[in-house]
Amino acid sequence: MKLKDDKKYARIFRAVLKLVAKKGLAGMTMGDISKEAGIATGTLYVYFSSKDELINALFAACRENSVTISFKGYNAQQPFKPAFRNIWMNILRYRLQNFEEFIFLEQCYHSPYITAATREKARQLTEPFYALISRGQSEQLIKNIETDLLITFIIGSMNELVKQIHYSGIALTRSRMNHTFDLCWDAIRA
């Protein structure tokens, strides 16, 4: 039996990210993926038995990467606002610098391809962010409304900013980043 090659995994994952950005999840086939990755379709099936399995594996890897980057420099002992700002800025930078991953993740959140188990693992990864939001609410620094609703607002507005910047070519200056954070903070603070 031939061992699986990490470089092929990386090529397959890069191919999927590129294709999803062009065609979307539903428009992509295993044949498209193998062609884009430069491998035989049969070889692709050695690595992943189905498109669903491949999408779930890539979703899990991208989600783990995004969360790792999002929590870089985070210290749970920091006061709420600087801790929140640190994570917010990290998420924004990640999405701007990894646009294809961001688009892939966004499409996956709303697709039937992602299994309940994969969704639950992704949710567990973000538990520190939920805990931070709860802390901000208990300290009466942010609105005491449903946590999922707050996070939907925070991430949704950020997603639109990232897409606007990417598709319009407008540079995200430090000033614009700070103004955007201030808008988000003003909207969620108690």
Side-chain angles (χ1 to χ4, degrees):
M1 180 178 201
K2 189 175 180 181
L3 292 174
K4 293 180 181 177
D5 179 1
D6 288 342
K7 290 179 183 176
K8 279 196 182 137
Y9 274 111
R11 284 176 32 206
I12 292 166
F13 284 175
R14 278 193 309 272
V16 171
L17 293 173
K18 188 174 182 180
L19 287 167
V20 168
K22 283 184 194 174
K23 295 182 168 197
L25 284 172
M28 174 183 66
T29 67
M30 292 293 269
D32 293 334
I33 298 164
S34 62
K35 184 177 178 183
E36 184 68 38
I39 61 173
T41 303
T43 302
L44 179 58
Y45 279 104
V46 168
Y47 285 79
F48 300 98
S49 64
S50 68
K51 179 178 165 181
D52 289 9
E53 180 188 345
L54 170 52
I55 289 170
N56 274 272
L58 181 55
F59 177 83
C62 289
R63 194 67 187 117
E64 189 170 325
N65 184 43
S66 73
V67 169
T68 299
I69 292 169
S70 297
F71 287 99
K72 186 178 181 185
Y74 170 66
N75 177 351
Q77 305 308 312
Q78 262 185 311
F80 176 79
K81 187 176 179 183
F84 175 75
R85 181 183 175 82
N86 179 58
I87 292 171
W88 189 92
M89 290 291 184
N90 286 344
I91 294 170
L92 179 65
R93 283 187 204 101
Y94 163 79
R95 289 170 186 224
L96 288 167
Q97 293 167 0
N98 301 279
F99 190 75
E100 287 180 344
E101 272 189 37
F102 157 63
I103 292 298
F104 173 77
L105 286 168
E106 186 177 44
Q107 285 191 28
C108 286
Y109 289 127
H110 307 293
S111 83
Y113 292 104
I114 305 304
T115 65
T118 302
R119 285 184 196 283
E120 180 53 31
K121 286 178 190 172
R123 169 84 160 126
Q124 289 171 3
L125 287 171
T126 59
E127 201 51 49
F129 192 56
Y130 278 81
L132 179 66
I133 296 297
S134 292
R135 187 181 109 201
Q137 290 173 321
S138 69
E139 292 175 7
Q140 299 179 350
L141 297 171
I142 61 174
K143 290 178 172 57
N144 193 15
I145 59 174
E146 183 183 336
T147 304
D148 283 333
L149 184 58
L150 269 175
I151 291 175
T152 296
F153 171 78
I154 294 163
I155 299 302
S157 60
M158 185 184 300
N159 288 351
E160 290 308 309
L161 174 65
V162 168
K163 286 186 256 184
Q164 178 191 49
I165 289 164
H166 182 79
Y167 293 122
S168 71
I170 296 171
L172 182 61
T173 62
R174 181 164 304 282
S175 172
R176 189 172 184 158
M177 230 169 27
N178 289 334
H179 288 312
T180 305
F181 175 79
D182 291 343
L183 285 169
C184 179
W185 179 254
D186 289 346
I188 68 168
R189 75 176 174 190

